[in-house]
Structures are given as structure tokens and as C-alpha cells.
Amino acid sequence: MLREFCQWLYDSTIGTSIRESIWVFPIIETIHVLGITLLIGTIAILDLRLLGLVLRREEVSRLASQILPLTWAGFGVMFVSGFLLFWAEAAKCYANPAFRIKLLLLILVGLNPLVFHLTIYRSVLSWNEQLVTPLRARLAGFFSLTLWGGIVCAGRAIAYFQK
Amino acid sequence: MFMLHVFQWLGNSPVGIFMQQSTYAFAVTEMLHLLSLSILGGTILIVDLRLLGVGLRSQSAAALDRELKPYLIGSLTVSVLTGILLLSEEPMKCYYNEAFRLKMLFLALAVFFYFIIQERLFQREPSAGTNLLAKAMGVVSLLLWLSVGLAGRAIGII
């Protein structure tokens, strides 16, 4: 099922034109990396604050409300450009181990803030100003940083496994 | 001529030979290069966007810069070091690559702009982040770093 879908995307007019154009693919790739920079750069600030490493005098909730719009903007750019890249190479990505690992890590990195917001972040007002946040908040920051790092590495590795 | 000799020396150095012969060294170094770039790009974006009045408005741009500077310098160091390792794998190809030359030019300009010009603004106006000069500096810095990234991507294409 999935394999047929990937093949269908790969053979579609749009997928083929992105793949066969000399400039379109690298340009989308560059936009993808810029989107990732915005996404990871901003989320890393929040993660590092949860770990008590930067902006320690800033309230966590105030930092989050100012920084998350930028993170979402980066996510939007990354997602759209990433999907276009996938569209062009879908059939090759399907069997690519680095691509599979990256998707798995993306699911995990999506679950992390979900759990964070549904649990420890509900009580944010009680630890908003603490230099060192509760253990579960620090764990969320740690997992976010490691998972996003893994996603960058797996993403780069896709090109090495693309046949 | 001097730079040509430096590049040749780099390619023939033990590090260069290791990078050329190893199967995984280049790939792993490239990943580290990308990881440090995302931190570097992120810290620069946060400060420059703040200069434009976007993002962390509860902090002044100068305060943000002070807080994030260790990460900026650390990630810049790692990207330069991993960049030299990547360069040692194919120094002659890079030497004659126009995109590589452009990237080095933009990198020098961006670093100069940050450490010499932007820093002066932060020291003179600790609450910088509202006037036109601050906005102009944010735009120039973003454009310079964007050019570094675009030229860097182009190295592998041309």
C-alpha cells in the first residue's frame, strides 16, 4: 500500500519535474535547511531554558509564548519543503533506512511536546521562575534536543542511502 | 599563491589523508557540521529577529546577545573546525570552486559584521532593538549569513 503510494508520487508529473530539474531540487533543499535552522534554533532556546542553561531569569511561559510562533513558522517551512523533496524521491525514500529512522524520530519528537504540555506544563505557573525546572520539564528539554539532533543526522544520511 | 600552498599542504597532511581514505569520516563530519550550523543559525536568527522587533520582545537584543554568545561562539568554532576537516578531503576542488570562494568571503564579512559592528551597537545601546539602525543591522546580518548558507549549498552543485 505505502510502497504503491510512494511509487505513484514518484511517477507523478510534479514529482518527476522536481526530480529532473537542475535547480528546483537544490533550491527546495536549501529552503528546507533554512526552515530547520529556524525550527531547531528557536526550540533549542526553550529546551536550554528548561535545562536552566540560558535566559535563566526569563519566565518559562513568557519565553514559550514569544518563541513558539517562530518555531511553528520554521516547522511550516520545513514540513512543506520536506514534503516536496519527498514527493520527488518518494520511491527511493520508501526503502531508505535513514529516511525510516528520520520519520520514526519525527514521530517521537512530536510526542514529546504533547506529553510535556499535557502533564508538567499544566503546572508551569508554579515553577515558571525557577532557575532549575522540575525533572520532567528538564527531561522534555533533553529529549527534544537529542531527538532534533538525531533528525538532522538522519536527514543528512538520507542522501548517502539514496540509490 | 600562498593560499594555494596552504590548501595543498592541508590535502597532504595526515588529517587530509585520513579524511580522503576513511569511508565514514566525511559523512560523520558533515553531520557535526550541520548540527553546529543549526545552533549557530538559530542563535543568530534569535538575535537578528529581535533587532527587527520579532520574537523574544521581553528581552533587549543586547541582553539576548549576551546570553546566547557562548553558544554562538561555541557553534561557530565547531563549524569552522569541521569545515576545515571537510575541506581537507578535497582542497583542490574547493580552491577552484567559485561558490567556495564566495562562501569564505561572505563568512568573513558576516563574522566581521557581528564581532566588530553589531557588538558596538550592543555596547553603546544596551536596550537596542527599536530604532532604525538596529533594524538595518538585523537585516544586513541576516542577509550576510543567508549568503553564507546559499554559497555553501552551491559548493556541491557547481
Side-chain angles (χ1 to χ4, degrees), chain B residues 105-130:
Chain B
L105 174 69
F106 284 126
L107 179 63
L109 288 175
V111 168
F112 175 81
F113 188 79
Y114 174 73
F115 284 100
I116 309 293
I117 299 176
Q118 242 174 346
E119 279 303 279
R120 198 151 293 174
L121 172 82
F122 291 139
Q123 274 160 17
R124 208 184 54 193
E125 296 177 56
S127 60
T130 42

mmCIF file with all atom_site columns, all heavy atoms in Angstrom, chain B residues 105-130:
data_model
loop_
_atom_site.group_PDB
_atom_site.id
_atom_site.type_symbol
_atom_site.label_atom_id
_atom_site.label_alt_id
_atom_site.label_comp_id
_atom_site.label_asym_id
_atom_site.label_entity_id
_atom_site.label_seq_id
_atom_site.pdbx_PDB_ins_code
_atom_site.Cartn_x
_atom_site.Cartn_y
_atom_site.Cartn_z
_atom_site.occupancy
_atom_site.B_iso_or_equiv
_atom_site.pdbx_formal_charge
_atom_site.auth_seq_id
_atom_site.auth_comp_id
_atom_site.auth_asym_id
_atom_site.auth_atom_id
_atom_site.pdbx_PDB_model_num
ATOM 1   N N   . LEU B 1 105 ? 34.203 34.481 1.498  1.00 0.00 ? 105 LEU B N   1
ATOM 2   C CA  . LEU B 1 105 ? 34.086 35.939 1.511  1.00 0.00 ? 105 LEU B CA  1
ATOM 3   C C   . LEU B 1 105 ? 32.919 36.369 2.402  1.00 0.00 ? 105 LEU B C   1
ATOM 4   O O   . LEU B 1 105 ? 33.067 37.223 3.294  1.00 0.00 ? 105 LEU B O   1
ATOM 5   C CB  . LEU B 1 105 ? 33.888 36.451 0.083  1.00 0.00 ? 105 LEU B CB  1
ATOM 6   C CG  . LEU B 1 105 ? 33.611 37.946 -0.048 1.00 0.00 ? 105 LEU B CG  1
ATOM 7   C CD1 . LEU B 1 105 ? 34.859 38.741 0.309  1.00 0.00 ? 105 LEU B CD1 1
ATOM 8   C CD2 . LEU B 1 105 ? 33.145 38.299 -1.460 1.00 0.00 ? 105 LEU B CD2 1
ATOM 9   N N   . PHE B 1 106 ? 31.737 35.756 2.184  1.00 0.00 ? 106 PHE B N   1
ATOM 10  C CA  . PHE B 1 106 ? 30.562 36.114 2.982  1.00 0.00 ? 106 PHE B CA  1
ATOM 11  C C   . PHE B 1 106 ? 30.771 35.772 4.453  1.00 0.00 ? 106 PHE B C   1
ATOM 12  O O   . PHE B 1 106 ? 30.332 36.500 5.337  1.00 0.00 ? 106 PHE B O   1
ATOM 13  C CB  . PHE B 1 106 ? 29.308 35.412 2.449  1.00 0.00 ? 106 PHE B CB  1
ATOM 14  C CG  . PHE B 1 106 ? 28.773 36.021 1.189  1.00 0.00 ? 106 PHE B CG  1
ATOM 15  C CD1 . PHE B 1 106 ? 28.554 35.260 0.058  1.00 0.00 ? 106 PHE B CD1 1
ATOM 16  C CD2 . PHE B 1 106 ? 28.487 37.384 1.144  1.00 0.00 ? 106 PHE B CD2 1
ATOM 17  C CE1 . PHE B 1 106 ? 28.053 35.828 -1.100 1.00 0.00 ? 106 PHE B CE1 1
ATOM 18  C CE2 . PHE B 1 106 ? 27.981 37.962 -0.011 1.00 0.00 ? 106 PHE B CE2 1
ATOM 19  C CZ  . PHE B 1 106 ? 27.772 37.174 -1.138 1.00 0.00 ? 106 PHE B CZ  1
ATOM 20  N N   . LEU B 1 107 ? 31.443 34.643 4.706  1.00 0.00 ? 107 LEU B N   1
ATOM 21  C CA  . LEU B 1 107 ? 31.691 34.243 6.093  1.00 0.00 ? 107 LEU B CA  1
ATOM 22  C C   . LEU B 1 107 ? 32.551 35.294 6.792  1.00 0.00 ? 107 LEU B C   1
ATOM 23  O O   . LEU B 1 107 ? 32.252 35.722 7.917  1.00 0.00 ? 107 LEU B O   1
ATOM 24  C CB  . LEU B 1 107 ? 32.380 32.876 6.131  1.00 0.00 ? 107 LEU B CB  1
ATOM 25  C CG  . LEU B 1 107 ? 32.715 32.329 7.511  1.00 0.00 ? 107 LEU B CG  1
ATOM 26  C CD1 . LEU B 1 107 ? 31.452 32.105 8.317  1.00 0.00 ? 107 LEU B CD1 1
ATOM 27  C CD2 . LEU B 1 107 ? 33.490 31.013 7.405  1.00 0.00 ? 107 LEU B CD2 1
ATOM 28  N N   . ALA B 1 108 ? 33.620 35.733 6.095  1.00 0.00 ? 108 ALA B N   1
ATOM 29  C CA  . ALA B 1 108 ? 34.492 36.753 6.683  1.00 0.00 ? 108 ALA B CA  1
ATOM 30  C C   . ALA B 1 108 ? 33.696 38.034 6.949  1.00 0.00 ? 108 ALA B C   1
ATOM 31  O O   . ALA B 1 108 ? 33.807 38.640 8.028  1.00 0.00 ? 108 ALA B O   1
ATOM 32  C CB  . ALA B 1 108 ? 35.669 37.038 5.745  1.00 0.00 ? 108 ALA B CB  1
ATOM 33  N N   . LEU B 1 109 ? 32.856 38.431 5.984  1.00 0.00 ? 109 LEU B N   1
ATOM 34  C CA  . LEU B 1 109 ? 32.051 39.641 6.162  1.00 0.00 ? 109 LEU B CA  1
ATOM 35  C C   . LEU B 1 109 ? 31.072 39.485 7.326  1.00 0.00 ? 109 LEU B C   1
ATOM 36  O O   . LEU B 1 109 ? 30.907 40.385 8.147  1.00 0.00 ? 109 LEU B O   1
ATOM 37  C CB  . LEU B 1 109 ? 31.274 39.950 4.871  1.00 0.00 ? 109 LEU B CB  1
ATOM 38  C CG  . LEU B 1 109 ? 32.099 40.478 3.699  1.00 0.00 ? 109 LEU B CG  1
ATOM 39  C CD1 . LEU B 1 109 ? 31.231 40.613 2.453  1.00 0.00 ? 109 LEU B CD1 1
ATOM 40  C CD2 . LEU B 1 109 ? 32.715 41.829 4.056  1.00 0.00 ? 109 LEU B CD2 1
ATOM 41  N N   . ALA B 1 110 ? 30.411 38.318 7.389  1.00 0.00 ? 110 ALA B N   1
ATOM 42  C CA  . ALA B 1 110 ? 29.405 38.097 8.432  1.00 0.00 ? 110 ALA B CA  1
ATOM 43  C C   . ALA B 1 110 ? 30.050 38.112 9.811  1.00 0.00 ? 110 ALA B C   1
ATOM 44  O O   . ALA B 1 110 ? 29.524 38.707 10.758 1.00 0.00 ? 110 ALA B O   1
ATOM 45  C CB  . ALA B 1 110 ? 28.676 36.775 8.188  1.00 0.00 ? 110 ALA B CB  1
ATOM 46  N N   . VAL B 1 111 ? 31.203 37.444 9.934  1.00 0.00 ? 111 VAL B N   1
ATOM 47  C CA  . VAL B 1 111 ? 31.899 37.392 11.228 1.00 0.00 ? 111 VAL B CA  1
ATOM 48  C C   . VAL B 1 111 ? 32.374 38.790 11.623 1.00 0.00 ? 111 VAL B C   1
ATOM 49  O O   . VAL B 1 111 ? 32.204 39.228 12.760 1.00 0.00 ? 111 VAL B O   1
ATOM 50  C CB  . VAL B 1 111 ? 33.082 36.396 11.173 1.00 0.00 ? 111 VAL B CB  1
ATOM 51  C CG1 . VAL B 1 111 ? 33.981 36.533 12.386 1.00 0.00 ? 111 VAL B CG1 1
ATOM 52  C CG2 . VAL B 1 111 ? 32.548 34.973 11.069 1.00 0.00 ? 111 VAL B CG2 1
ATOM 53  N N   . PHE B 1 112 ? 32.943 39.506 10.654 1.00 0.00 ? 112 PHE B N   1
ATOM 54  C CA  . PHE B 1 112 ? 33.388 40.878 10.913 1.00 0.00 ? 112 PHE B CA  1
ATOM 55  C C   . PHE B 1 112 ? 32.199 41.736 11.350 1.00 0.00 ? 112 PHE B C   1
ATOM 56  O O   . PHE B 1 112 ? 32.269 42.463 12.340 1.00 0.00 ? 112 PHE B O   1
ATOM 57  C CB  . PHE B 1 112 ? 34.029 41.459 9.647  1.00 0.00 ? 112 PHE B CB  1
ATOM 58  C CG  . PHE B 1 112 ? 34.416 42.909 9.780  1.00 0.00 ? 112 PHE B CG  1
ATOM 59  C CD1 . PHE B 1 112 ? 35.603 43.265 10.410 1.00 0.00 ? 112 PHE B CD1 1
ATOM 60  C CD2 . PHE B 1 112 ? 33.584 43.909 9.295  1.00 0.00 ? 112 PHE B CD2 1
ATOM 61  C CE1 . PHE B 1 112 ? 35.951 44.602 10.546 1.00 0.00 ? 112 PHE B CE1 1
ATOM 62  C CE2 . PHE B 1 112 ? 33.939 45.251 9.431  1.00 0.00 ? 112 PHE B CE2 1
ATOM 63  C CZ  . PHE B 1 112 ? 35.119 45.593 10.056 1.00 0.00 ? 112 PHE B CZ  1
ATOM 64  N N   . PHE B 1 113 ? 31.089 41.612 10.630 1.00 0.00 ? 113 PHE B N   1
ATOM 65  C CA  . PHE B 1 113 ? 29.910 42.425 10.937 1.00 0.00 ? 113 PHE B CA  1
ATOM 66  C C   . PHE B 1 113 ? 29.413 42.137 12.349 1.00 0.00 ? 113 PHE B C   1
ATOM 67  O O   . PHE B 1 113 ? 29.089 43.056 13.103 1.00 0.00 ? 113 PHE B O   1
ATOM 68  C CB  . PHE B 1 113 ? 28.801 42.153 9.921  1.00 0.00 ? 113 PHE B CB  1
ATOM 69  C CG  . PHE B 1 113 ? 27.630 43.080 10.064 1.00 0.00 ? 113 PHE B CG  1
ATOM 70  C CD1 . PHE B 1 113 ? 27.690 44.358 9.547  1.00 0.00 ? 113 PHE B CD1 1
ATOM 71  C CD2 . PHE B 1 113 ? 26.481 42.682 10.735 1.00 0.00 ? 113 PHE B CD2 1
ATOM 72  C CE1 . PHE B 1 113 ? 26.621 45.239 9.691  1.00 0.00 ? 113 PHE B CE1 1
ATOM 73  C CE2 . PHE B 1 113 ? 25.412 43.553 10.886 1.00 0.00 ? 113 PHE B CE2 1
ATOM 74  C CZ  . PHE B 1 113 ? 25.485 44.828 10.365 1.00 0.00 ? 113 PHE B CZ  1
ATOM 75  N N   . TYR B 1 114 ? 29.384 40.853 12.709 1.00 0.00 ? 114 TYR B N   1
ATOM 76  C CA  . TYR B 1 114 ? 28.879 40.512 14.041 1.00 0.00 ? 114 TYR B CA  1
ATOM 77  C C   . TYR B 1 114 ? 29.823 41.006 15.138 1.00 0.00 ? 114 TYR B C   1
ATOM 78  O O   . TYR B 1 114 ? 29.419 41.725 16.055 1.00 0.00 ? 114 TYR B O   1
ATOM 79  C CB  . TYR B 1 114 ? 28.658 39.001 14.175 1.00 0.00 ? 114 TYR B CB  1
ATOM 80  C CG  . TYR B 1 114 ? 28.288 38.627 15.589 1.00 0.00 ? 114 TYR B CG  1
ATOM 81  C CD1 . TYR B 1 114 ? 27.027 38.934 16.087 1.00 0.00 ? 114 TYR B CD1 1
ATOM 82  C CD2 . TYR B 1 114 ? 29.209 38.026 16.448 1.00 0.00 ? 114 TYR B CD2 1
ATOM 83  C CE1 . TYR B 1 114 ? 26.683 38.648 17.394 1.00 0.00 ? 114 TYR B CE1 1
ATOM 84  C CE2 . TYR B 1 114 ? 28.869 37.732 17.756 1.00 0.00 ? 114 TYR B CE2 1
ATOM 85  C CZ  . TYR B 1 114 ? 27.607 38.042 18.221 1.00 0.00 ? 114 TYR B CZ  1
ATOM 86  O OH  . TYR B 1 114 ? 27.280 37.766 19.518 1.00 0.00 ? 114 TYR B OH  1
ATOM 87  N N   . PHE B 1 115 ? 31.098 40.616 15.052 1.00 0.00 ? 115 PHE B N   1
ATOM 88  C CA  . PHE B 1 115 ? 32.007 40.874 16.171 1.00 0.00 ? 115 PHE B CA  1
ATOM 89  C C   . PHE B 1 115 ? 32.453 42.334 16.262 1.00 0.00 ? 115 PHE B C   1
ATOM 90  O O   . PHE B 1 115 ? 32.752 42.819 17.347 1.00 0.00 ? 115 PHE B O   1
ATOM 91  C CB  . PHE B 1 115 ? 33.234 39.955 16.099 1.00 0.00 ? 115 PHE B CB  1
ATOM 92  C CG  . PHE B 1 115 ? 32.930 38.554 16.526 1.00 0.00 ? 115 PHE B CG  1
ATOM 93  C CD1 . PHE B 1 115 ? 32.714 37.570 15.573 1.00 0.00 ? 115 PHE B CD1 1
ATOM 94  C CD2 . PHE B 1 115 ? 32.846 38.220 17.865 1.00 0.00 ? 115 PHE B CD2 1
ATOM 95  C CE1 . PHE B 1 115 ? 32.423 36.275 15.966 1.00 0.00 ? 115 PHE B CE1 1
ATOM 96  C CE2 . PHE B 1 115 ? 32.550 36.934 18.263 1.00 0.00 ? 115 PHE B CE2 1
ATOM 97  C CZ  . PHE B 1 115 ? 32.331 35.958 17.309 1.00 0.00 ? 115 PHE B CZ  1
ATOM 98  N N   . ILE B 1 116 ? 32.505 43.025 15.136 1.00 0.00 ? 116 ILE B N   1
ATOM 99  C CA  . ILE B 1 116 ? 33.010 44.408 15.182 1.00 0.00 ? 116 ILE B CA  1
ATOM 100 C C   . ILE B 1 116 ? 31.868 45.420 15.181 1.00 0.00 ? 116 ILE B C   1
ATOM 101 O O   . ILE B 1 116 ? 31.804 46.304 16.030 1.00 0.00 ? 116 ILE B O   1
ATOM 102 C CB  . ILE B 1 116 ? 33.951 44.683 13.976 1.00 0.00 ? 116 ILE B CB  1
ATOM 103 C CG1 . ILE B 1 116 ? 35.017 43.593 13.875 1.00 0.00 ? 116 ILE B CG1 1
ATOM 104 C CG2 . ILE B 1 116 ? 34.566 46.074 14.091 1.00 0.00 ? 116 ILE B CG2 1
ATOM 105 C CD1 . ILE B 1 116 ? 36.018 43.556 15.002 1.00 0.00 ? 116 ILE B CD1 1
ATOM 106 N N   . ILE B 1 117 ? 30.929 45.272 14.239 1.00 0.00 ? 117 ILE B N   1
ATOM 107 C CA  . ILE B 1 117 ? 29.928 46.328 14.083 1.00 0.00 ? 117 ILE B CA  1
ATOM 108 C C   . ILE B 1 117 ? 28.719 46.124 15.005 1.00 0.00 ? 117 ILE B C   1
ATOM 109 O O   . ILE B 1 117 ? 28.344 47.013 15.758 1.00 0.00 ? 117 ILE B O   1
ATOM 110 C CB  . ILE B 1 117 ? 29.493 46.422 12.606 1.00 0.00 ? 117 ILE B CB  1
ATOM 111 C CG1 . ILE B 1 117 ? 30.734 46.761 11.765 1.00 0.00 ? 117 ILE B CG1 1
ATOM 112 C CG2 . ILE B 1 117 ? 28.413 47.485 12.427 1.00 0.00 ? 117 ILE B CG2 1
ATOM 113 C CD1 . ILE B 1 117 ? 30.508 46.789 10.294 1.00 0.00 ? 117 ILE B CD1 1
ATOM 114 N N   . GLN B 1 118 ? 28.134 44.914 14.959 1.00 0.00 ? 118 GLN B N   1
ATOM 115 C CA  . GLN B 1 118 ? 26.947 44.680 15.785 1.00 0.00 ? 118 GLN B CA  1
ATOM 116 C C   . GLN B 1 118 ? 27.264 44.790 17.274 1.00 0.00 ? 118 GLN B C   1
ATOM 117 O O   . GLN B 1 118 ? 26.497 45.351 18.046 1.00 0.00 ? 118 GLN B O   1
ATOM 118 C CB  . GLN B 1 118 ? 26.372 43.300 15.480 1.00 0.00 ? 118 GLN B CB  1
ATOM 119 C CG  . GLN B 1 118 ? 24.964 43.368 14.930 1.00 0.00 ? 118 GLN B CG  1
ATOM 120 C CD  . GLN B 1 118 ? 24.447 42.017 14.493 1.00 0.00 ? 118 GLN B CD  1
ATOM 121 O OE1 . GLN B 1 118 ? 25.189 41.055 14.353 1.00 0.00 ? 118 GLN B OE1 1
ATOM 122 N NE2 . GLN B 1 118 ? 23.156 41.948 14.255 1.00 0.00 ? 118 GLN B NE2 1
ATOM 123 N N   . GLU B 1 119 ? 28.423 44.258 17.666 1.00 0.00 ? 119 GLU B N   1
ATOM 124 C CA  . GLU B 1 119 ? 28.819 44.326 19.072 1.00 0.00 ? 119 GLU B CA  1
ATOM 125 C C   . GLU B 1 119 ? 28.889 45.766 19.564 1.00 0.00 ? 119 GLU B C   1
ATOM 126 O O   . GLU B 1 119 ? 28.533 46.069 20.703 1.00 0.00 ? 119 GLU B O   1
ATOM 127 C CB  . GLU B 1 119 ? 30.188 43.665 19.265 1.00 0.00 ? 119 GLU B CB  1
ATOM 128 C CG  . GLU B 1 119 ? 30.140 42.174 19.362 1.00 0.00 ? 119 GLU B CG  1
ATOM 129 C CD  . GLU B 1 119 ? 29.243 41.686 20.476 1.00 0.00 ? 119 GLU B CD  1
ATOM 130 O OE1 . GLU B 1 119 ? 29.686 41.675 21.627 1.00 0.00 ? 119 GLU B OE1 1
ATOM 131 O OE2 . GLU B 1 119 ? 28.074 41.343 20.186 1.00 0.00 ? 119 GLU B OE2 1
ATOM 132 N N   . ARG B 1 120 ? 29.370 46.644 18.694 1.00 0.00 ? 120 ARG B N   1
ATOM 133 C CA  . ARG B 1 120 ? 29.485 48.050 19.067 1.00 0.00 ? 120 ARG B CA  1
ATOM 134 C C   . ARG B 1 120 ? 28.110 48.635 19.376 1.00 0.00 ? 120 ARG B C   1
ATOM 135 O O   . ARG B 1 120 ? 27.941 49.386 20.324 1.00 0.00 ? 120 ARG B O   1
ATOM 136 C CB  . ARG B 1 120 ? 30.167 48.813 17.928 1.00 0.00 ? 120 ARG B CB  1
ATOM 137 C CG  . ARG B 1 120 ? 30.725 50.129 18.348 1.00 0.00 ? 120 ARG B CG  1
ATOM 138 C CD  . ARG B 1 120 ? 31.914 50.508 17.515 1.00 0.00 ? 120 ARG B CD  1
ATOM 139 N NE  . ARG B 1 120 ? 33.066 49.629 17.739 1.00 0.00 ? 120 ARG B NE  1
ATOM 140 C CZ  . ARG B 1 120 ? 34.181 49.703 17.033 1.00 0.00 ? 120 ARG B CZ  1
ATOM 141 N NH1 . ARG B 1 120 ? 34.289 50.591 16.072 1.00 0.00 ? 120 ARG B NH1 1
ATOM 142 N NH2 . ARG B 1 120 ? 35.176 48.885 17.290 1.00 0.00 ? 120 ARG B NH2 1
ATOM 143 N N   . LEU B 1 121 ? 27.146 48.240 18.549 1.00 0.00 ? 121 LEU B N   1
ATOM 144 C CA  . LEU B 1 121 ? 25.774 48.714 18.777 1.00 0.00 ? 121 LEU B CA  1
ATOM 145 C C   . LEU B 1 121 ? 25.265 48.230 20.144 1.00 0.00 ? 121 LEU B C   1
ATOM 146 O O   . LEU B 1 121 ? 24.704 48.996 20.916 1.00 0.00 ? 121 LEU B O   1
ATOM 147 C CB  . LEU B 1 121 ? 24.845 48.202 17.675 1.00 0.00 ? 121 LEU B CB  1
ATOM 148 C CG  . LEU B 1 121 ? 23.349 48.467 17.899 1.00 0.00 ? 121 LEU B CG  1
ATOM 149 C CD1 . LEU B 1 121 ? 22.997 49.881 17.479 1.00 0.00 ? 121 LEU B CD1 1
ATOM 150 C CD2 . LEU B 1 121 ? 22.484 47.470 17.151 1.00 0.00 ? 121 LEU B CD2 1
ATOM 151 N N   . PHE B 1 122 ? 25.509 46.944 20.437 1.00 0.00 ? 122 PHE B N   1
ATOM 152 C CA  . PHE B 1 122 ? 25.024 46.392 21.693 1.00 0.00 ? 122 PHE B CA  1
ATOM 153 C C   . PHE B 1 122 ? 25.676 47.071 22.888 1.00 0.00 ? 122 PHE B C   1
ATOM 154 O O   . PHE B 1 122 ? 25.058 47.274 23.923 1.00 0.00 ? 122 PHE B O   1
ATOM 155 C CB  . PHE B 1 122 ? 25.278 44.880 21.748 1.00 0.00 ? 122 PHE B CB  1
ATOM 156 C CG  . PHE B 1 122 ? 24.435 44.113 20.774 1.00 0.00 ? 122 PHE B CG  1
ATOM 157 C CD1 . PHE B 1 122 ? 24.975 43.065 20.056 1.00 0.00 ? 122 PHE B CD1 1
ATOM 158 C CD2 . PHE B 1 122 ? 23.108 44.443 20.583 1.00 0.00 ? 122 PHE B CD2 1
ATOM 159 C CE1 . PHE B 1 122 ? 24.200 42.351 19.149 1.00 0.00 ? 122 PHE B CE1 1
ATOM 160 C CE2 . PHE B 1 122 ? 22.317 43.743 19.681 1.00 0.00 ? 122 PHE B CE2 1
ATOM 161 C CZ  . PHE B 1 122 ? 22.874 42.698 18.970 1.00 0.00 ? 122 PHE B CZ  1
ATOM 162 N N   . GLN B 1 123 ? 26.964 47.424 22.741 1.00 0.00 ? 123 GLN B N   1
ATOM 163 C CA  . GLN B 1 123 ? 27.649 48.059 23.860 1.00 0.00 ? 123 GLN B CA  1
ATOM 164 C C   . GLN B 1 123 ? 27.198 49.500 24.047 1.00 0.00 ? 123 GLN B C   1
ATOM 165 O O   . GLN B 1 123 ? 27.063 49.978 25.168 1.00 0.00 ? 123 GLN B O   1
ATOM 166 C CB  . GLN B 1 123 ? 29.162 48.012 23.648 1.00 0.00 ? 123 GLN B CB  1
ATOM 167 C CG  . GLN B 1 123 ? 29.756 46.708 24.168 1.00 0.00 ? 123 GLN B CG  1
ATOM 168 C CD  . GLN B 1 123 ? 31.107 46.416 23.573 1.00 0.00 ? 123 GLN B CD  1
ATOM 169 O OE1 . GLN B 1 123 ? 31.747 47.304 23.017 1.00 0.00 ? 123 GLN B OE1 1
ATOM 170 N NE2 . GLN B 1 123 ? 31.543 45.175 23.686 1.00 0.00 ? 123 GLN B NE2 1
ATOM 171 N N   . ARG B 1 124 ? 26.955 50.166 22.920 1.00 0.00 ? 124 ARG B N   1
ATOM 172 C CA  . ARG B 1 124 ? 26.587 51.573 23.016 1.00 0.00 ? 124 ARG B CA  1
ATOM 173 C C   . ARG B 1 124 ? 25.131 51.736 23.448 1.00 0.00 ? 124 ARG B C   1
ATOM 174 O O   . ARG B 1 124 ? 24.783 52.616 24.208 1.00 0.00 ? 124 ARG B O   1
ATOM 175 C CB  . ARG B 1 124 ? 26.810 52.245 21.657 1.00 0.00 ? 124 ARG B CB  1
ATOM 176 C CG  . ARG B 1 124 ? 27.122 53.721 21.773 1.00 0.00 ? 124 ARG B CG  1
ATOM 177 C CD  . ARG B 1 124 ? 27.230 54.329 20.396 1.00 0.00 ? 124 ARG B CD  1
ATOM 178 N NE  . ARG B 1 124 ? 26.035 54.067 19.599 1.00 0.00 ? 124 ARG B NE  1
ATOM 179 C CZ  . ARG B 1 124 ? 25.965 54.259 18.293 1.00 0.00 ? 124 ARG B CZ  1
ATOM 180 N NH1 . ARG B 1 124 ? 27.016 54.678 17.618 1.00 0.00 ? 124 ARG B NH1 1
ATOM 181 N NH2 . ARG B 1 124 ? 24.847 54.017 17.633 1.00 0.00 ? 124 ARG B NH2 1
ATOM 182 N N   . GLU B 1 125 ? 24.263 50.869 22.933 1.00 0.00 ? 125 GLU B N   1
ATOM 183 C CA  . GLU B 1 125 ? 22.842 50.974 23.265 1.00 0.00 ? 125 GLU B CA  1
ATOM 184 C C   . GLU B 1 125 ? 22.370 49.643 23.839 1.00 0.00 ? 125 GLU B C   1
ATOM 185 O O   . GLU B 1 125 ? 21.867 48.792 23.101 1.00 0.00 ? 125 GLU B O   1
ATOM 186 C CB  . GLU B 1 125 ? 22.022 51.276 22.009 1.00 0.00 ? 125 GLU B CB  1
ATOM 187 C CG  . GLU B 1 125 ? 22.326 52.595 21.367 1.00 0.00 ? 125 GLU B CG  1
ATOM 188 C CD  . GLU B 1 125 ? 21.503 52.752 20.093 1.00 0.00 ? 125 GLU B CD  1
ATOM 189 O OE1 . GLU B 1 125 ? 20.269 52.639 20.177 1.00 0.00 ? 125 GLU B OE1 1
ATOM 190 O OE2 . GLU B 1 125 ? 22.101 52.959 19.038 1.00 0.00 ? 125 GLU B OE2 1
ATOM 191 N N   . PRO B 1 126 ? 22.523 49.444 25.152 1.00 0.00 ? 126 PRO B N   1
ATOM 192 C CA  . PRO B 1 126 ? 22.153 48.150 25.739 1.00 0.00 ? 126 PRO B CA  1
ATOM 193 C C   . PRO B 1 126 ? 20.683 47.801 25.524 1.00 0.00 ? 126 PRO B C   1
ATOM 194 O O   . PRO B 1 126 ? 20.307 46.638 25.556 1.00 0.00 ? 126 PRO B O   1
ATOM 195 C CB  . PRO B 1 126 ? 22.457 48.348 27.224 1.00 0.00 ? 126 PRO B CB  1
ATOM 196 C CG  . PRO B 1 126 ? 23.417 49.488 27.278 1.00 0.00 ? 126 PRO B CG  1
ATOM 197 C CD  . PRO B 1 126 ? 23.070 50.380 26.132 1.00 0.00 ? 126 PRO B CD  1
ATOM 198 N N   . SER B 1 127 ? 19.838 48.793 25.283 1.00 0.00 ? 127 SER B N   1
ATOM 199 C CA  . SER B 1 127 ? 18.423 48.481 25.086 1.00 0.00 ? 127 SER B CA  1
ATOM 200 C C   . SER B 1 127 ? 18.059 48.461 23.601 1.00 0.00 ? 127 SER B C   1
ATOM 201 O O   . SER B 1 127 ? 16.893 48.550 23.250 1.00 0.00 ? 127 SER B O   1
ATOM 202 C CB  . SER B 1 127 ? 17.555 49.513 25.801 1.00 0.00 ? 127 SER B CB  1
ATOM 203 O OG  . SER B 1 127 ? 17.829 50.789 25.267 1.00 0.00 ? 127 SER B OG  1
ATOM 204 N N   . ALA B 1 128 ? 19.088 48.355 22.745 1.00 0.00 ? 128 ALA B N   1
ATOM 205 C CA  . ALA B 1 128 ? 18.866 48.411 21.300 1.00 0.00 ? 128 ALA B CA  1
ATOM 206 C C   . ALA B 1 128 ? 17.772 47.444 20.867 1.00 0.00 ? 128 ALA B C   1
ATOM 207 O O   . ALA B 1 128 ? 17.607 46.378 21.431 1.00 0.00 ? 128 ALA B O   1
ATOM 208 C CB  . ALA B 1 128 ? 20.156 48.089 20.565 1.00 0.00 ? 128 ALA B CB  1
ATOM 209 N N   . GLY B 1 129 ? 17.047 47.794 19.873 1.00 0.00 ? 129 GLY B N   1
ATOM 210 C CA  . GLY B 1 129 ? 16.036 46.867 19.383 1.00 0.00 ? 129 GLY B CA  1
ATOM 211 C C   . GLY B 1 129 ? 14.794 47.574 18.910 1.00 0.00 ? 129 GLY B C   1
ATOM 212 O O   . GLY B 1 129 ? 13.806 46.958 18.571 1.00 0.00 ? 129 GLY B O   1
ATOM 213 N N   . THR B 1 130 ? 14.815 48.893 18.873 1.00 0.00 ? 130 THR B N   1
ATOM 214 C CA  . THR B 1 130 ? 13.610 49.578 18.422 1.00 0.00 ? 130 THR B CA  1
ATOM 215 C C   . THR B 1 130 ? 13.892 50.541 17.274 1.00 0.00 ? 130 THR B C   1
ATOM 216 O O   . THR B 1 130 ? 13.026 50.778 16.454 1.00 0.00 ? 130 THR B O   1
ATOM 217 C CB  . THR B 1 130 ? 12.971 50.376 19.577 1.00 0.00 ? 130 THR B CB  1
ATOM 218 O OG1 . THR B 1 130 ? 14.023 51.023 20.294 1.00 0.00 ? 130 THR B OG1 1
ATOM 219 C CG2 . THR B 1 130 ? 12.205 49.457 20.498 1.00 0.00 ? 130 THR B CG2 1
#
